[in-house]
Amino acid sequence: MENAFETALGLYRAGRGRDALPLLRELAGQHPGEPAILNLLGVCLRMAGEPAAAETALRAALAGCPDHADALLNLAAVSRDGGRHGVAASCLRRLLAQHPALREGLNQLGATLSEMGDLEGAERTLRRAVGLVPDGIDERFNLAAILCQAAPPDRAIAALRQAIALQPEGAFAYGLLGACSLRAGDLDGAQAPFSRALRLDPAAAEARQGLVRVARYRATARAARSGTGPDGLALRGAFATASGYSHMTRRLIEALRRQRIPLEILGLLGDERWPFEPLDRPVRARALLNVLIPMAVERVPGLPAVTFTMFEGHPIPPSWQVHSRNSDIVVVPTRASRRAWIAGGFPEARLRLCPLGIDPEAGDGAPLHLALPDGRPVAEIPYRFLNVSDFVPRKNVDGLLRVWLRATDRRDPACLILKLAIGGRPDGRAELADLVRRGEAATGRRVAEAAPILLVDAVLDEVRMNGLYRAATHYWSLSHGEGWDLPMATAGALGLGLIAPRHTAYVDYLHDGIAHLIPARTAPARRPYADEPWAPFHGLDWWQPDEEAAVAALRAVIRNGAALPSAADHLRRHFTWDQSAATLLTILGGLGLAPQPGGA
């Protein structure tokens, strides 16, 4: 046995774990329950891309020796690979109970907790690691990386400098140091590490972009101090991407320009250009408006920082509270977001409320031509339900599928058009297929038995997205929480019948007279079909829509012809982007920061 095991171990160490498998399987058969053999078998199976078999072997090793350190480490790694971070953390805690000073165990637990979204737990674990190994490079860098997410900029900067002192040749750490310095508004403190990062790695795009932002912020600060020219507003946001924040930023810019507000537009990276007119020239800014999540906010020296943002759960996470305090004022679009910030410990006096707008202009043009998998034109189906979502747990796609399977029959005159943003995820379709299989198991019904579902996962430009709305008769959401839900608001403004949960943003712009609102209760945020939290909402609550009520609502429309009221007049009258921009300017005026109209 000893020679054969050493041979297998040598193959593994040479990176040939797959080649060691026949020998290890033979050894496992000859020596059943031997932990060393089973552990190495599990490691090699993981290397060979067989995670389920690897987990079986590692659990067998632990059955024979519950405190086997290597098997616990390896089972934790396999569990992390599969997204089962709770299992991984449990393994690592068992390991550390026996070996409390094990560096690898502490570092792995810190990384696992970070991936779970438990930044506080990760920080505690990594501080323990640093205390045990003060000169440990990995420990210092891991702690610094956590503090960049979870701590105020000054604490993160101090940790990064300690880590860099131990290893001064890492470009990535200098890039993080520059980014943290920008959050603090220290342009000199940012320029030096960004420049150092580029000297160490000329291909470091984040450092190059950081230097662009440093230069832009210097020009913005100089113009604000100049005392000449009309007052204006500097606005930073991700207007050049396809995200909801980007859409919001573009609409606000357009509305502010219609009100002739002088604007300087700063992109998320620094070198983006507003495509319709030159808005990258500095103005005499009264404030910097960040249309971003709090962690992405950067300060310009001498300018008050106003952040327009939102959150979908309750309360905001601790890291959001920390980074929100980097802003002088936080503006949110809904009462639910306001409550979340207050519950998270943010000062109520520094919060303001400004609803967003809708896009009724999407009503112009022709519906997008769509066909079901059997070739039937979607336009021939009387009841066409649309949902537009990112493919993330918060959107509750699993709940949508369960309700659709239970509520509909293949003979029903209905279809579900599911527009999911999964194009950029290599395993997105596989994840969706798994969600469908789980939905079938949970409901006891197959997709083929329900009314047809049409998946649209291609990236659509604005014109085709408008056509997608016009191809539907109803818009339906079972989301666990929304900061605003622009697709729902747009669909309502176009006259589609609306079915939405009674929570978060929906109750700010919908009511029973203009939509069918489904009861919802608060519940811990969990990943679909799992007890583990979804990392961005670790330790937080969201809302669980009543699926029985959703089934009844769909059947009432599809089988009984129940007509849903129209929200179009209400939304078009009360929620325009011009109104949103006017409210924002009123907020700034109340703070003494309102720019004066006068731009071309």
Side-chain angles (χ1 to χ4, degrees):
M1 166 190 166
E2 186 172 340
N3 289 339
F5 182 81
E6 289 298 326
T7 299
L9 184 60
L11 289 170
Y12 161 71
R13 287 172 174 167
R16 298 171 55 195
R18 187 185 296 273
D19 294 338
L21 288 176
L23 185 54
L24 286 168
R25 288 190 174 108
E26 183 179 350
L27 283 170
Q30 294 171 354
H31 306 275
E34 173 58 43
I37 295 172
L38 291 167
N39 174 63
L40 186 56
L41 175 59
V43 172
C44 292
L45 286 165
R46 180 191 179 213
M47 183 180 286
E50 299 182 44
E55 181 171 349
T56 299
L58 292 165
R59 289 193 178 279
L62 289 168
C65 182
D67 298 327
H68 194 288
D70 287 340
L72 285 168
L73 271 174
N74 292 325
L75 180 56
V78 170
S79 300
R80 281 178 68 193
D81 291 344
R84 298 185 307 281
H85 293 90
V87 174
S90 178
C91 290
L92 292 165
R93 288 188 174 111
R94 281 172 56 190
L95 172 66
L96 290 167
Q98 298 296 320
H99 307 280
L102 186 66
R103 293 177 67 180
E104 186 174 2
L106 288 167
N107 282 322
Q108 290 298 322
L109 180 58
T112 300
L113 293 174
S114 174
E115 291 167 4
M116 290 175 66
D118 183 3
L119 299 181
E120 292 174 300
E123 181 182 346
R124 286 194 305 271
T125 300
L126 292 168
R127 285 198 179 280
R128 181 177 158 197
V130 167
L132 290 168
V133 192
D135 60 348
I137 294 172
D138 289 343
E139 289 77 8
R140 286 285 181 185
F141 275 105
N142 290 341
L143 176 60
I146 291 296
L147 292 177
C148 288
Q149 301 176 65
D154 58 338
R155 288 181 55 205
I157 288 168
L160 283 164
R161 286 176 174 156
Q162 290 173 334
I164 288 170
L166 293 174
Q167 189 179 64
E169 300 305 318
F172 181 70
Y174 286 102
L176 286 179
L177 179 56
C180 289
S181 298
L182 283 185
R183 289 180 192 167
D186 182 358
L187 302 187
D188 292 334
Q191 181 160 344
F194 281 142
S195 299
R196 175 68 171 161
L198 276 178
R199 286 196 296 272
L200 291 169
D201 178 9
E206 292 177 357
R208 178 187 59 77
Q209 292 159 353
L211 286 174
V212 171
R213 297 202 300 281
V214 168
R216 292 291 308 275
Y217 298 166
R218 288 192 193 281
T220 300
R222 282 195 301 269
R225 296 192 303 266
S226 68
T228 61
D231 289 342
L233 183 66
L235 187 153
R236 180 170 179 254
F239 62 82
T241 72
S243 68
Y245 269 94
S246 183
H247 183 94
M248 169 183 170
T249 304
R250 289 194 297 269
R251 290 296 187 255
L252 282 173
I253 292 170
E254 292 163 357
L256 289 167
R257 291 303 293 147
R258 283 194 292 271
Q259 298 190 35
R260 301 179 65 242
I261 298 299
L263 292 178
E264 177 189 357
I265 305 303
L266 302 159
L268 183 64
L269 303 178
D271 54 3
E272 303 95 326
R273 294 291 182 268
W274 182 248
F276 306 110
E277 57 177 317
L279 294 180
D280 55 344
R281 294 173 297 196
V283 299
R284 187 185 173 196
R286 300 293 304 278
L288 173 63
L289 175 66
N290 294 276
V291 188
L292 296 165
I293 62 173
M295 287 72 73
V297 169
E298 295 174 347
R299 299 199 62 126
V300 170
L303 289 185
V306 179
T307 297
F308 203 160
T309 187
M310 65 198 76
F311 191 66
E312 303 88 359
H314 190 84
I316 58 172
S319 60
W320 282 58
Q321 198 269 89
V322 167
H323 291 288
S324 290
R325 288 180 178 269
N326 197 36
S327 299
D328 298 286
I329 294 292
V330 170
V331 181
V332 294
T334 68
R335 292 169 293 175
S337 279
R338 185 176 184 274
R339 289 191 294 268
W341 255 264
I342 294 170
F346 190 78
E348 185 174 355
R350 290 166 57 187
L351 283 168
R352 301 292 187 275
L353 187 64
C354 179
L356 300 186
I358 48 87
D359 299 313
E361 66 271 19
D364 302 329
L368 192 66
H369 175 73
L370 300 170
L372 296 174
D374 64 6
R376 282 184 296 163
V378 164
E380 295 180 1
I381 308 297
Y383 301 106
R384 306 182 295 277
F385 293 82
L386 173 65
N387 178 269
V388 178
S389 292
D390 289 331
F391 189 34
V392 295
R394 179 176 58 80
K395 292 296 188 177
N396 196 19
V397 176
D398 53 306
L400 277 172
L401 293 171
R402 285 191 300 270
V403 169
W404 189 258
L405 291 177
R406 292 177 55 207
T408 68
D409 183 86
R410 62 187 175 190
R411 293 165 293 189
D412 286 333
C415 68
L416 172 60
I417 306 167
L418 195 54
K419 171 71 175 76
L420 292 182
I422 61 177
R425 299 172 58 174
D427 300 326
R429 279 187 171 258
E431 290 179 32
L432 179 60
D434 181 64
L435 214 58
V436 169
R437 286 191 293 270
R438 288 174 177 267
E440 290 177 327
T443 60
R445 287 177 55 80
R446 294 180 295 109
V447 167
E449 299 176 86
I453 302 173
L454 176 63
L455 174 65
V456 180
D457 62 352
V459 176
L460 303 181
D461 60 23
E462 197 162 289
V463 172
R464 297 182 72 201
M465 275 301 302
N466 293 345
L468 184 65
Y469 288 112
R470 295 190 295 273
T473 59
H474 296 75
Y475 193 92
W476 172 41
S477 168
L478 278 187
S479 170
H480 290 302
E482 289 295 332
W484 188 255
D485 198 346
L486 285 165
M488 173 72 76
T490 298
L494 296 178
L496 276 67
L498 303 182
I499 300 175
R502 191 186 298 274
H503 64 57
T504 55
Y506 299 124
V507 298
D508 274 31
Y509 57 78
L510 300 177
H511 56 76
D512 289 313
I514 58 175
H516 188 107
L517 296 177
I518 297 167
R521 60 179 177 83
T522 56
R526 294 285 185 265
R527 292 191 296 110
Y529 303 105
D531 290 331
E532 294 189 7
W534 183 43
F537 280 59
H538 182 275
L540 309 179
D541 286 340
W542 57 21
W543 287 261
Q544 183 62 52
D546 185 330
E547 294 188 7
E548 294 291 338
V551 168
L554 287 183
R555 286 178 175 169
V557 172
I558 296 170
R559 297 180 183 176
N560 301 330
L564 295 181
S566 174
D569 289 344
H570 171 74
L571 291 172
R572 286 171 176 260
R573 187 183 312 117
H574 297 292
F575 296 96
T576 69
W577 285 109
D578 285 338
Q579 288 169 321
S580 182
T583 301
L584 179 61
L585 291 172
T586 299
I587 289 170
L588 294 174
L591 299 168
L593 303 175
Q596 297 300 312

